[in-house]
Amino acid sequence: MIVDDSAVIRGFLSRWLEAEKEIEVVAIASNGVMALREFERARPELVILDIEMPEMDGLTALPRLVKLDPDVQIIMASTLTRRNADVSLKALSMGAADYIAKPESTRVVDEKEIFQRGLVEKIKALGATRRTRDRAAGKVAARPALKPVQTERKPRVVIGAKAPIVLRPFKTIPSPKVIAIGASTGGPQALFKLFEALKGKTTLPVFITQHMPGTFTAILAEHLNKIYDKDCMEAKDGEKVLDNRVYVAPGDWHMTVVNEGAVPVIRLNQEPPENYCRPSVDPMLRSLQAVFGAHVLTVILTGMGHDGLDGCRKLAESGAVVIGQDEETSVVWGMPGAVASAGLCNKVLPLQDITGAIENVIMGRPA
């Protein structure tokens, strides 16, 4: 279901999505009041929900939609402003699954194509997650939100691979000098819970790459700063790596660490996106492995795609500890699923158990 007060946006979203053989638009609404009425009639599995609308805005409609169907997947859509970034992060804590920043203009080809590709990928990933959980719970969907497709194309990314997970055994447990965290879809919610539990547990520097545009990463750092007991900030090019700091990769910049003399220093760059992402988790992990070797404790949280797989492979080869979030507590089990399925994880754990595993590794115990 598409919910947006702009007829233009409703129109091009509907055309884009109906052009996808696997997606069906079952309802369209121009505000929250209409959305609630249409939701009860159409029972969509996923909703694209605008934030700013007359009569009833998206933030007001969100909990009411979730009350009607606790399993509904909701993507918040907003223009890229500081206020909307803040509202979008608040919406994630209220039950939204993800967010997407609207392009400033649909006439700019690159912006439009990036937005369209990102939205379609999010819908397919969240739709697959919803239906997997429905099947596991013995639920039968009212209609196929993802239409059957007659095609021989193989999916580019496997979401929630079902092959048995083989854990990489602990040989020795290197004392970590830094913690690295990679996340995408569902990441902000997971980060808030993780850092709330991590308070007082470590003084190690923490590096976070979360797939987000620039305005959003600044707000994310501010939210983490309110939750955690250490300084959380967007990373700045050239700053020294210090204990008791959390560094968030700024939107549209890869965050890496290099040794300058004997001092680890943060370097930001705008080299091409990796895995369609900038910031990307892989450049961060590769750089940390080059500087700290096996002394990097890595956590891969919920997210679609496979960003982080290459970096985790290099870290695993060096003997570093890698922890992945499990499928049940992930919004989308793409990134952690890719790393786990490749046999790179020492542990695959529910989100609520990851803090304890981090503490164990820091203390030299198996996670």
Side-chain angles (χ1 to χ4, degrees), residues 159-178:
I159 303 295
K162 294 299 181 183
I165 300 304
V166 178
L167 296 177
R168 182 166 55 91
F170 291 97
K171 294 182 180 178
T172 60
I173 302 176
S175 177
K177 296 180 179 178
V178 297

Side-chain angles (χ1 to χ4, degrees), residues 41-95:
R41 177 190 66 79
R43 286 294 173 179
E45 293 176 316
L46 186 144
V47 178
I48 303 168
L49 184 62
D50 187 20
I51 289 178
E52 296 177 322
M53 296 180 292
E55 292 192 60
M56 183 186 292
D57 63 19
L59 204 61
T60 304
L62 170 63
R64 303 186 188 190
L65 292 169
V66 172
K67 185 176 181 179
L68 290 173
D69 180 3
D71 296 322
V72 67
Q73 303 285 326
I74 298 178
I75 300 174
M76 305 302 295
S78 70
T79 51
L80 194 57
T81 66
R82 184 176 179 83
R83 177 186 175 277
N84 283 343
D86 196 33
V87 171
S88 294
L89 288 184
K90 182 177 180 182
L92 294 176
S93 67
M94 295 169 61

Side-chain angles (χ1 to χ4, degrees), residues 118-133:
L119 180 62
V120 168
E121 287 182 349
K122 287 175 187 287
I123 289 172
K124 289 181 178 180
L126 291 169
T129 297
R130 165 70 189 258
R131 295 175 75 80
T132 296
R133 290 176 178 170

Side-chain angles (χ1 to χ4, degrees), residues 218-341:
I219 299 294
L220 174 65
E222 290 179 9
H223 279 246
L224 289 173
N225 204 46
K226 294 175 183 176
I227 293 170
Y228 197 43
D229 59 349
K230 308 293 188 297
D231 290 334
C232 306
M233 63 201 77
E234 277 192 309
K236 296 180 176 60
D237 187 62
E239 68 177 315
K240 296 178 181 179
V241 175
L242 301 174
D243 286 344
N244 296 301
R245 296 284 191 279
V246 177
Y247 303 98
V248 177
D252 204 33
W253 293 84
H254 294 309
M255 176 174 66
T256 64
V257 176
V258 299
N259 262 332
E260 296 189 356
V263 180
V265 172
I266 291 174
R267 287 296 175 195
L268 306 178
N269 69 71
Q270 289 190 308
E271 291 177 5
E274 293 192 30
N275 309 305
Y276 299 98
C277 302
R278 190 172 65 200
S280 170
V281 179
D282 277 329
M284 175 185 73
L285 296 183
R286 289 196 302 266
S287 73
L288 289 171
Q289 189 277 330
V291 172
F292 297 103
H295 302 280
V296 181
L297 171 52
T298 301
V299 178
I300 302 297
L301 297 175
T302 173
M304 67 181 188
H306 55 83
D307 191 22
L309 176 60
D310 176 64
C312 284
R313 183 172 285 113
K314 292 186 180 300
L315 285 161
E317 289 170 356
S318 72
V321 174
V322 177
I323 298 169
Q325 185 175 349
D326 73 350
E327 183 173 10
E328 186 175 351
T329 62
S330 294
V331 173
V332 176
W333 204 57
M335 287 167 52
V339 175
S341 298

